[in-house]
Amino acid sequence: MRNTILPPLNAIRAFDILQNVINRLQPEDSVVTLMTPPSLTSNWLLPRINRFSETHPEIDLRILATRQMPDSRLERIDLSVWQLEGEVDEAFNGTLLFRQDVVAVCTPSILSGKPLPLSYSDFMDLTVLHGQHQLWPLYVSEHFGEALPLPRRAMRFGLSSLSIDAAIAGQGIALASWFKVQDRIDGGTLVQPFETVLKAPKHVHLLSMKARTLTPAARKVRAWLLDEAAAQMRKPSRGGRHLIGS
């Protein structure tokens, strides 16, 4: 099985490229195209993809990493995993994969033995890593009970996956969805310096077009994604207070 990761191109143009490759290299019924945001691809999907390859070597899974939202015009996409707020569009079948619990993470090394949870003064000594959603002001306000200034040292990234990568590299403290960093926390690469957990309004759904019948190969990919998500959610959460939403 070949797993192909495409760069974040304009989605419509990328689909045309994909279709040409598919027609040349692989029988159509064994190819499955999965559309995901870049952050979810790098932080959750890629660490697990070998398990799918070993179980289903007959399926050629094509992963399209893009920030463009799926819509009903994208008929060449078999499945998509996306963060949505509110109800799923009526053109799609949607199944909830993860609720969006946001936690603060960093490497143990940058804490220099400071007691946890961090005090505000210890927090101010760190570098804050901002992702695309700019949640730090809300997080600090909820954790400390009032709106407080952020550390002056900061790095800003256009993708949340890059802020997570920077945290793993020991560059500072980042906010991340729990499901994206849970394996790193369980393995000891990252720790949670605060107990606060934000419940964001957007949750992660697995989508497919109602107007398009899934192939047997696509149904296997869908079942595998649901199984992987369910297995992760059965792990005990180390998060603390849930402050936003239900």
Side-chain angles (χ1 to χ4, degrees):
M1 172 188 153
R2 294 183 302 277
N3 297 320
T4 305
I5 312 296
L6 297 180
L9 302 174
N10 176 276
I12 301 297
R13 175 169 166 259
F15 302 149
D16 291 334
I17 296 172
L18 269 175
Q19 191 63 45
N20 291 334
V21 172
I22 289 168
N23 291 339
R24 291 198 306 268
L25 299 180
Q26 194 75 12
E28 187 172 353
D29 59 359
S30 68
V31 173
V32 178
T33 304
L34 174 64
M35 179 179 180
T36 65
S39 178
L40 189 145
T41 302
S42 60
N43 295 122
W44 186 80
L45 184 58
L46 291 187
R48 291 164 169 78
I49 202 67
N50 281 344
R51 292 202 285 268
F52 181 82
S53 303
E54 293 169 359
T55 307
H56 299 289
E58 77 283 2
I59 296 177
D60 190 354
L61 180 59
R62 307 293 175 89
I63 300 169
L64 177 62
T66 176
R67 295 177 69 176
Q68 180 168 334
M69 287 284 291
D71 62 45
S72 57
R73 296 172 298 171
L74 309 181
E75 297 180 357
R76 296 171 186 156
I77 297 300
D78 297 291
L79 298 163
S80 57
V81 177
W82 218 261
Q83 300 176 38
L84 301 174
E85 183 173 0
E87 298 296 322
V88 175
D89 188 279
E90 62 181 11
F92 293 94
N93 295 308
T95 302
L96 180 67
L97 282 184
F98 299 107
R99 296 196 178 277
Q100 196 84 299
D101 293 346
V102 178
V103 298
V105 292
C106 63
T107 57
S109 61
I110 73 167
L111 297 177
S112 302
K114 295 180 176 67
L116 300 182
L118 288 178
S119 66
Y120 179 67
S121 60
D122 285 340
F123 171 61
M124 291 297 287
D125 290 336
L126 300 178
T127 299
V128 170
L129 306 173
H130 293 274
Q132 66 200 71
H133 301 298
Q134 302 296 318
L135 292 175
W136 269 116
L138 175 60
Y139 189 93
V140 167
S141 176
E142 294 288 357
H143 179 76
F144 292 105
E146 59 180 313
L148 294 170
L150 296 177
R152 298 186 65 178
R153 289 185 298 176
M155 299 175 67
R156 300 181 184 276
F157 301 92
L159 293 174
S160 59
S161 60
L162 296 179
S163 65
I164 296 172
D165 289 343
I168 293 170
Q171 298 301 311
I173 179 172
L175 293 177
S177 299
W178 171 258
F179 75 90
K180 294 179 183 177
V181 294
Q182 183 178 8
D183 292 341
R184 299 279 189 176
I185 292 170
D186 290 344
T189 304
L190 295 174
V191 297
Q192 290 178 253
F194 302 115
E195 64 177 6
T196 298
V197 179
L198 300 182
K199 268 196 170 307
K202 290 186 177 182
H203 303 303
V204 180
H205 292 75
L206 176 58
L207 306 176
S208 62
M209 289 289 300
K210 288 182 177 179
R212 180 173 183 177
T213 301
L214 292 179
T215 65
R219 288 198 296 269
K220 290 179 181 179
V221 175
R222 182 180 186 277
W224 174 75
L225 289 168
L226 292 173
D227 287 346
E228 287 287 331
Q232 181 167 356
M233 296 311 292
R234 285 193 294 267
K235 296 180 181 179
S237 172
R238 298 184 184 177
R241 295 180 295 154
H242 287 226
L243 299 171
I244 298 178
S246 57

